[in-house]
Amino acid sequence: MDQIQQLIEILGRQGIHDERVLLAIQNVPRELFLPENLKSHAYENRALPIDCDQTISQPYIVALMTQALQLQPTDRVLEIGTGSGYQTAILSQLCHTVYTVERWEALGQIAQERFLQLQLSNIETAFGDGTLGWPEHAPYDAIIVTAATPSIPAAYFQQLTSGGRLVIPVGGSDIQELTLAIRGEVDWTCSTLCGCRFVKLIGEQGWQET
Ligand code: SAH
């Protein structure tokens, strides 16, 4: 069995049962999103370092977050924290358009080149403070945040449709709870998916830069 198939099997055992999510993981070459010296680790089920002191998330976490968003082919999705672009590429397989925001221009540009290379034409990129969302294209059907915040920034409530799904790590700077928040008319309904460890979401409505 090849390495991708092994990873798919592991994800299945870990509770990833959405076939469309597993197919997306199978179709997107994770090695393309890694630095040269780490490409041989692409199908291990773990997070790995990328440029600018950031990380590419563990495949299990990418799959779990994607599954929790319950994407429909017509959905427009906002992603905060493009990073390597791997999660973005997975989302792009499952929805109409992904709008992705990254704070580091250097990371965002490399990710953009990868999207071109893979001919993923339904991804819009921006650089800036994603704690404020991306108001121009709101409202979104789903929002995914791949960096940790002490609490849910208000902009995400404002920029999500009623009944829309938000997946976000919420908690301290070291350890957080991966939270699924469904937007009601006046408030969120929240549930916890698992414990997790993400880098900080830094910005006006997140952590302050130190
Ligand atoms: N999904 C990415 C994870 C990258 S790590 C992947 O799998 O590769 C989280 C990313 O969030 C980092 O690239 C970091 O620079 C970015 N980030 C942190 N604060 C941000 C903010 N306020 N706006 C946009 N991106 C932010």
Side-chain angles (χ1 to χ4, degrees), residues 115-158:
F115 304 149
L116 275 176
Q117 204 178 331
L118 290 173
Q119 296 180 310
L120 303 175
S121 53
N122 62 339
I123 299 174
E124 303 281 331
T125 56
F127 309 120
D129 179 5
T131 67
L132 305 175
W134 189 349
E136 284 84 347
H137 301 288
Y140 304 95
D141 301 293
I143 301 180
I144 175 169
V145 184
T146 67
T149 49
S151 59
I152 300 177
Y156 302 157
F157 191 87
Q158 291 150 10

Side-chain angles (χ1 to χ4, degrees), residues 91-102:
L91 296 168
S92 80
Q93 313 289 299
L94 301 167
C95 68
H96 186 271
T97 311
V98 188
Y99 299 88
T100 185
V101 183
E102 170 56 51

Side-chain angles (χ1 to χ4, degrees), residues 50 52 54-57 62 79-88 101-104 107 128-131 146-147 198-203:
I50 57 172
C52 303
Q54 306 301 317
T55 49
I56 178 172
S57 302
V62 171
E79 180 194 35
I80 306 301
T82 317
S84 68
Y86 177 66
Q87 170 79 72
T88 325
V101 183
E102 170 56 51
R103 179 172 171 260
W104 289 104
L107 283 178
D129 179 5
T131 67
T146 67
F198 277 79
V199 298
K200 284 186 194 170
L201 185 76
I202 296 172

Side-chain angles (χ1 to χ4, degrees), residues 3 6 12 30 53 61 66 76 91 95 108 131 137 143 155 201:
Q3 283 183 312
Q6 271 176 18
R30 190 168 181 249
D53 257 345
I61 294 291
T66 309
R76 298 161 66 258
L91 296 168
C95 68
T131 67
H137 301 288
I143 301 180
L201 185 76

Side-chain angles (χ1 to χ4, degrees), residues 2-210:
D2 69 15
Q3 283 183 312
I4 301 191
Q5 277 311 324
Q6 271 176 18
L7 175 61
I8 298 292
E9 269 209 23
I10 291 169
L11 296 178
R13 283 202 296 272
Q14 286 183 301
I16 307 301
H17 47 71
D18 186 332
E19 290 296 332
R20 293 186 323 132
V21 173
L22 293 172
L23 195 63
I25 301 259
Q26 193 158 343
N27 286 343
V28 175
R30 190 168 181 249
E31 67 270 18
L32 194 75
F33 296 85
L34 287 167
E36 205 56 50
N37 61 325
L38 292 175
K39 286 189 190 298
S40 61
H41 299 282
Y43 297 101
E44 293 169 17
N45 195 11
R46 60 173 169 133
L48 292 163
I50 57 172
D51 288 348
C52 303
D53 257 345
Q54 306 301 317
T55 49
I56 178 172
S57 302
Q58 182 192 6
Y60 169 62
I61 294 291
V62 171
L64 185 68
M65 292 175 90
T66 309
Q67 179 169 272
L69 290 175
Q70 292 180 33
L71 297 178
Q72 299 301 313
T74 50
D75 281 351
R76 298 161 66 258
V77 180
L78 174 66
E79 180 194 35
I80 306 301
T82 317
S84 68
Y86 177 66
Q87 170 79 72
T88 325
I90 297 288
L91 296 168
S92 80
Q93 313 289 299
L94 301 167
C95 68
H96 186 271
T97 311
V98 188
Y99 299 88
T100 185
V101 183
E102 170 56 51
R103 179 172 171 260
W104 289 104
E105 200 160 340
L107 283 178
Q109 268 170 3
I110 299 171
Q112 224 171 356
E113 285 165 23
R114 291 167 177 155
F115 304 149
L116 275 176
Q117 204 178 331
L118 290 173
Q119 296 180 310
L120 303 175
S121 53
N122 62 339
I123 299 174
E124 303 281 331
T125 56
F127 309 120
D129 179 5
T131 67
L132 305 175
W134 189 349
E136 284 84 347
H137 301 288
Y140 304 95
D141 301 293
I143 301 180
I144 175 169
V145 184
T146 67
T149 49
S151 59
I152 300 177
Y156 302 157
F157 191 87
Q158 291 150 10
Q159 293 176 28
L160 200 56
T161 53
S162 185
R165 292 85 61 203
L166 164 70
V167 177
I168 182 169
V170 181
S173 57
D174 273 353
I175 190 150
Q176 308 94 28
E177 289 186 335
L178 193 55
T179 304
L180 170 64
I182 312 282
R183 186 202 192 279
E185 289 300 329
V186 288
D187 208 353
W188 300 106
T189 302
C190 292
S191 55
T192 299
L193 300 173
C194 64
C196 60
R197 189 177 296 249
F198 277 79
V199 298
K200 284 186 194 170
L201 185 76
I202 296 172
E204 216 175 291
Q205 293 187 33
W207 294 95
Q208 300 311 302
E209 201 159 9
T210 44

